């Protein structure tokens, strides 16, 4: 167990160092392995789009470690969102209208943003230590399958970031993506992925 703790602590320090410099990381999340960066840094977000070869009008999502932080990044958190967060039994990405205080190139064309509260050990601790939301997008080139485990991440993705987290690289459990629900200004919602 001490070896795992040492690996986690070293990974957290090195990942934070890369993020503070505007860099990108590959890291484990509560769903699949992701490419991450500082969600408040437009230049870093632009680098993620370039690495993924993804059109920059397709919004990326962010991770935070605590529901209390939602109000810093969403103009008004609908009551329905609090209820969904409370009853969700698996990772849940909620797309909120009217995001704020984040890199503009991160948002959807309508100003919306997907946010997930991560309870996974590493990504939760990283969000706490970094003190900013993290971009989380699948660690693949757009159009290619999302990696279900670390071994499925292409070398050009691993080589294209500033730091690759060591923790959980040897896990063989197949990861699953989150549920996605979009909330609208008028109180309506749309289930994008169950």
């Amino acid at each position: 167990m001490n070896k795992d703790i040492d690996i986690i602590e070293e990974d957290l320090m090195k990942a934070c160092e890369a993020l503070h410099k505007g860099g990108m990381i590959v890291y484990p999340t509560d769903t699949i392995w992701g490419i991450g960066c500082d969600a408040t840094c437009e230049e870093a977000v632009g680098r993620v789009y370039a690495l993924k070869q993804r059109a920059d009008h397709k919004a990326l999502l962010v991770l935070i470690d605590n529901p209390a932080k939602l109000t810093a990044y969403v103009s008004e958190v609908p009551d329905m969102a609090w209820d969904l967060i409370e009853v969700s039994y698996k990772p849940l990405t909620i797309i909120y209208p009217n995001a704020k205080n984040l890199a503009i190139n991160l948002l959807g064309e309508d100003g919306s943003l997907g946010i997930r509260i991560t309870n996974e050990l590493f990504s939760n601790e990283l969000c706490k230590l970094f003190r900013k939301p993290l971009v989380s997008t699948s660690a693949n080139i757009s159009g290619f399958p999302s990696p279900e485990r670390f071994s499925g991440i292409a070398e050009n993705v691993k080589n294209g970031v500033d730091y690759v987290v060591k923790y959980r690289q040897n896990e063989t459990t197949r990861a699953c993506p989150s549920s996605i629900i979009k909330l609208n200004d008028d109180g309506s919602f749309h289930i994008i992925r169950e």
Side-chain angles (χ1 to χ4, degrees), residues 8-191:
I8 291 170
E9 288 178 359
E10 180 183 351
D11 274 335
L12 287 169
M13 283 188 340
K14 289 184 176 179
C16 263
E17 184 180 325
L19 294 167
H20 280 298
K21 291 178 179 176
M24 297 181 294
I25 62 171
V26 166
Y27 69 115
T29 74
D30 53 340
T31 59
I32 60 178
W33 278 76
I35 298 170
C37 73
D38 177 352
T40 67
C41 178
E42 195 170 334
E43 184 180 327
V45 171
R47 289 183 65 212
V48 172
Y49 281 116
L51 176 63
K52 284 184 65 76
Q53 301 171 28
R54 180 174 174 164
D56 62 7
H57 65 273
K58 292 187 174 183
L60 302 173
L61 70 90
V62 301
L63 295 182
I64 59 176
D65 60 285
N66 189 313
K69 294 182 179 177
L70 277 172
T71 56
Y73 306 109
V74 178
S75 294
E76 186 175 335
V77 181
D79 288 340
M80 180 187 291
W82 300 116
D83 294 340
L84 289 167
I85 291 165
E86 189 175 319
V87 301
S88 181
Y89 61 91
K90 66 180 251 185
L92 172 66
T93 300
I94 298 177
I95 301 174
Y96 297 89
N98 306 313
K100 62 181 183 178
N101 300 324
L102 295 159
I104 194 75
N105 55 342
L106 187 62
L107 310 181
E109 292 176 332
D110 60 357
S112 65
L113 177 71
I115 300 176
R116 191 167 71 244
I117 298 150
T118 178
N119 292 314
E120 182 270 335
L121 175 66
F122 185 83
S123 53
N124 183 276
E125 287 298 316
L126 184 58
C127 287
K128 283 179 191 170
L129 188 62
F130 187 55
R131 297 185 178 191
K132 295 180 189 178
L134 294 175
V135 165
S136 181
T137 181
S138 57
N140 64 321
I141 303 299
S142 289
F144 287 84
S146 297
E148 296 175 346
R149 48 188 73 83
F150 180 79
S151 60
I153 301 172
E155 288 302 314
N156 58 340
V157 171
K158 291 186 269 191
N159 293 332
V161 301
D162 301 285
Y163 186 70
V164 177
V165 171
K166 295 176 184 68
Y167 179 64
R168 293 183 51 201
Q169 284 187 8
N170 295 324
E171 287 186 3
T172 57
T173 308
R174 181 176 173 249
C176 297
S178 68
S179 298
I180 304 175
I181 296 177
K182 182 171 185 176
L183 303 181
N184 302 309
D185 280 325
D186 62 5
S188 64
F189 66 92
H190 176 69
I191 298 172

